[in-house]
Every structure is written in structure tokens, then in C-alpha cells.
Amino acid sequence: MKIYLVGGAVRDRLLGIADDNTEKDWVVVGSSSTEMLDLGYRQVGKDFPVFLHPDTQEEYALARIERKLGIGYKRFEFDVSSSVTLEQDLSRRDLTINAIAQKDDELFDPFNGQEDLNNRILRHVSNDFSEDPVRVLRVARFAAYFKNFGFEVEQETYQLMRQMVASGEVDSLTPERVFKELNKALSYGTPSAFFKVLTACGAYQKVFPSLNNHIYQNYSNSFEFLDNLNTKAHIKFSIWLKDENKYNIKCPKQYQQLSELTSQFYKFSKDFINKSSREIFDFFTQTDALRRQDRFEDLLTVFKLLEIDILPIKHLKNLLKNIDISRLDKLDFGKAIQIEKKLIIDSFIRKIKK
């Protein structure tokens, strides 16, 4: 049995960006499931044997080769026999920069990943790349992750990705996997590269078919507003979709609700001080600003990042939040609070328009 550190931990260390929090993946050559279990590892993989170390809980996968059985990324047959070599295992990985292994201080780099790291190139390992449509998303995500390092997708890799789009291979991606890669890309400082790469290979329209894709025809510039925003992924998600009235992207409720409110009230917020009292009352009601305060703060963050003056909205919200309810009619409290809110909004609008 030989154990090698592989993938991102090796790649990032060579780039000088690894830290103690970097996730480590290990590949085990010359072993078997029985031996791993006897050593105290706990098996977690269903499709192929992956084991958790009994102490560190890090993932150890038996070296494997695979054969595609049909369209999509789940229909593979795996060979994890003890005869599978390290090079065979590395050959089925997506990019050369992810196909470098390390044992002690020795590097194993059969596909020249270090050279591509030095030249800032994202290059597929082999034509087997085209068998897994998730790799289109991963290349786009790595383009976002490494944008500030100057990495570019190699042209032959782009061509393989275009062929995967044309063949319908990308159509088999599940909404859950699309969101997983999207969310990771949005967590990076420069997510625009994720969308640019998908657009350049024709996958953006396939992966996000419900969007108004004509907005992003000039893909070299359209997404750059998302870069260098010091905020969370769900905020960037809402900014990305601010012009979309309707979309079909499977995502957590936090993302969906905030993005829908952004789309609904983005234009409204830009002209907030010119709206009628009734429209402003409806705005605070529909956003549930006083009860869902954390979500409303997220909405204000979105508006602020979109260069909208949120101070009038914030000030009025605070006035509404601090109503002295002790003096209101307790017999018909619901009606009394609504009347008080409308009076506050009317007074605010009059003052701001003077």
C-alpha cells in the first residue's frame, strides 16, 4: 500500500496559496476495501470506495480507473483493483494542474501539471475529459478561482467543452450540481470568469436556460460587476439575477427569496423618494421589512452594492420600527398600526420632497 496526497492541496501548495484549512484528498495505491476496513478506515463511498481516516476524518480513495456507460456523469463503471497504478488514477482527473501527486517530498507529475501551473494554463488531462459534463462547470469555476493568478483556459480544452455542449452531454447536469459549482464560484473574489467561460463555450444558455441570455451577449464585460464585492455568495447571486423577472434555478430558500425581492424592487429602490406613500407602504409590507429584518438588511446590502442610495429607505424603516405602540388603540390594533405607519410615511415623504 502506498498513499499519496493529490489534487487541490498539492496544486495550491505549489502556487503558494495553501493554508492549514486547505482540504486534503488522498489516493491509496495497491490496497483494497478489506484492507482499509481492517486498518480502521470507515467506508463512505457508494459508487466507488472512499474511506475516512479514523483520526483525521480526511478522505482516502482507492486508486481507480473508470469506463463510461452512458450519457451523464453518474453512469460509470469503476475498477479499484490493487493493480491500478498511480498514473492510471491521475489520468482520469479533469485538469493537469489537479493531476499532481505527492508522497513525502517527492512529486509525481506524469501530465506536466507543474508546467501548466507555471504557464497559468487550465488544460484537460485527456480526451476522457469529455465524458463528464460536471467538468465544464469545474473548469469555469477554476477560471474564477484562479483569475487573479492570470490563468486562461487552453483552446483545445475550450473546444472539448464546446463539443460537450453540442452533443447534449451538458444537458444531463442536475440542478443540484449546477448550484453547487455556481455557489462556489460566487464565493470567490472574481466570479465573473465562471460566467464568461460558460458563455464562451456555449454552456451558459444550456445551464441557465430560463434566463434572459441576450443580456449577456457581450460576455467579456457583462459579469465583471460581480468581481471584488466584499460580500456573501447569496448577495452576489441576487445581484447577478437583478434583471430577471422569472428564473428556474434550484437554490436554497435564502437565495431564492432575496433574489426575487431584488428583481421585484431593484428599479423601485432607484426612484424610492419619488414613489407615492401607498407604494412605499406596499414596499415595506411586501418585503416584510419589520419582521424579516435580517433578510431586509441583505436586500439593502444588495441595493447599496448596486450603487443605490439606501439612506432614505433605512431611515424610514427605523421610524416604522420604533413606533410607540403603547398609545395605539388596543381594540383594533391591526388597523391602528397600519394608520400610524401611513402617517409616518406621509410625513417622511413630505419632508424629503421639500
Side-chain angles (χ1 to χ4, degrees):
M1 172 197 288
K2 291 185 178 180
I3 299 176
Y4 301 86
L5 182 65
V6 294
V10 179
R11 176 200 68 216
D12 289 357
R13 184 185 64 79
L14 292 173
L15 281 172
I17 61 174
D19 57 41
D20 293 338
N21 295 320
T22 300
E23 184 176 305
K24 293 181 179 179
D25 293 310
W26 304 85
V27 64
V28 183
V29 179
S31 185
S32 65
S33 295
T34 300
E35 183 178 15
M36 296 294 287
L37 293 172
D38 288 343
L39 291 171
Y41 289 79
R42 180 164 59 89
Q43 185 168 344
V44 294
K46 295 180 180 179
D47 297 325
F48 54 86
V50 176
F51 302 84
L52 297 182
H53 190 281
D55 298 323
T56 67
Q57 300 302 304
E58 293 173 344
E59 290 191 356
Y60 287 68
L62 294 180
R64 68 184 187 271
I65 53 179
E66 57 196 31
R67 183 170 65 89
K68 189 175 177 68
L69 301 176
I71 293 176
Y73 60 92
K74 294 183 177 179
R75 301 191 62 189
F76 285 88
E77 182 179 74
F78 298 98
D79 178 359
V80 292
S81 62
S82 60
S83 62
V84 176
T85 67
L86 176 63
E87 183 170 342
Q88 286 177 314
D89 180 90
L90 295 176
S91 72
R92 55 99 190 158
R93 296 177 182 267
D94 50 8
L95 298 173
T96 59
I97 64 172
N98 295 329
I100 307 170
Q102 180 180 357
K103 183 173 177 57
D104 300 322
D105 293 327
E106 187 176 1
L107 291 174
F108 299 84
D109 184 17
F111 303 102
N112 301 315
Q114 294 176 86
E115 182 178 347
D116 285 341
L117 279 176
N118 293 333
N119 293 327
R120 302 302 196 246
I121 293 173
L122 300 176
R123 185 197 311 272
H124 62 284
V125 173
S126 72
N127 285 339
D128 291 342
F129 174 96
S130 62
E131 294 184 347
D132 185 353
V134 173
R135 290 175 172 175
V136 172
L137 297 174
R138 282 174 57 82
V139 170
R141 176 167 63 81
F142 282 126
Y145 184 63
F146 291 121
K147 182 179 179 181
N148 287 336
F149 287 84
F151 277 77
E152 298 286 343
V153 180
E154 193 262 344
Q155 286 304 310
E156 288 188 10
T157 302
Y158 257 133
Q159 185 58 35
L160 270 182
M161 292 164 69
R162 294 187 185 101
Q163 291 174 7
M164 293 166 72
V165 172
S167 70
E169 187 72 41
V170 169
D171 297 343
S172 64
L173 287 168
T174 65
E176 292 81 5
R177 193 54 194 258
V178 169
F179 177 78
K180 180 179 179 180
E181 298 297 325
L182 166 65
N183 195 43
K184 286 182 179 180
L186 289 172
S187 72
Y188 303 150
T190 52
S192 66
F194 175 80
F195 299 108
K196 291 180 186 179
V197 168
L198 291 182
T199 308
C201 72
Y204 185 91
Q205 295 82 354
K206 294 281 190 177
V207 174
F208 307 113
S210 62
L211 303 189
N212 295 320
N213 293 302
H214 65 277
I215 296 173
Y216 305 109
Q217 287 177 353
N218 183 16
Y219 59 82
S220 63
N221 298 310
S222 299
F223 302 101
E224 290 181 357
F225 191 79
L226 293 170
D227 290 348
N228 305 312
L229 297 178
N230 186 22
T231 192
K232 297 179 180 178
H234 69 288
I235 302 289
K236 296 179 190 177
F237 181 86
S238 298
I239 292 173
W240 168 49
L241 297 172
K242 65 180 175 59
D243 294 314
E244 299 291 340
N245 294 323
K246 188 177 181 180
Y247 64 86
N248 183 25
I249 298 173
K250 190 165 186 177
C251 59
K253 186 177 292 185
Q254 179 188 29
Y255 286 68
Q256 180 183 346
Q257 291 180 349
L258 183 62
S259 62
E260 288 176 349
L261 289 174
T262 298
S263 176
Q264 184 177 356
F265 292 108
Y266 165 57
K267 293 180 180 178
F268 176 93
S269 66
K270 291 197 295 184
D271 196 34
F272 181 80
I273 62 174
N274 293 317
K275 298 300 181 180
S276 69
S277 297
R278 181 69 208 184
E279 288 173 318
I280 291 175
F281 178 85
D282 289 343
F283 164 73
F284 282 107
T285 300
Q286 292 175 43
T287 57
D288 207 1
L290 302 183
R291 292 194 307 170
R292 302 290 302 276
Q293 294 190 51
D294 288 343
R295 189 181 69 185
F296 192 74
E297 286 301 314
D298 282 345
L299 184 62
L300 292 184
T301 297
V302 171
F303 291 160
K304 184 176 181 179
L305 290 171
L306 289 170
E307 302 178 346
I308 293 168
D309 180 9
I310 64 169
L311 289 180
I313 305 175
K314 203 174 184 86
H315 180 60
L316 182 51
K317 183 251 186 180
N318 288 333
L319 291 175
L320 296 172
K321 183 178 72 171
N322 294 318
I323 291 175
D324 181 7
I325 62 173
S326 64
R327 59 184 180 80
L328 299 181
D329 181 4
K330 300 300 188 295
L331 295 177
D332 195 352
F333 182 76
K335 183 177 181 180
I337 193 74
Q338 285 199 6
I339 291 173
E340 185 67 17
K341 287 179 180 178
K342 289 175 181 177
L343 289 173
I344 290 173
I345 293 172
D346 286 339
S347 175
F348 179 84
I349 292 298
R350 283 196 302 270
K351 288 179 181 178
I352 207 168
K353 288 184 177 180
K354 281 185 177 179

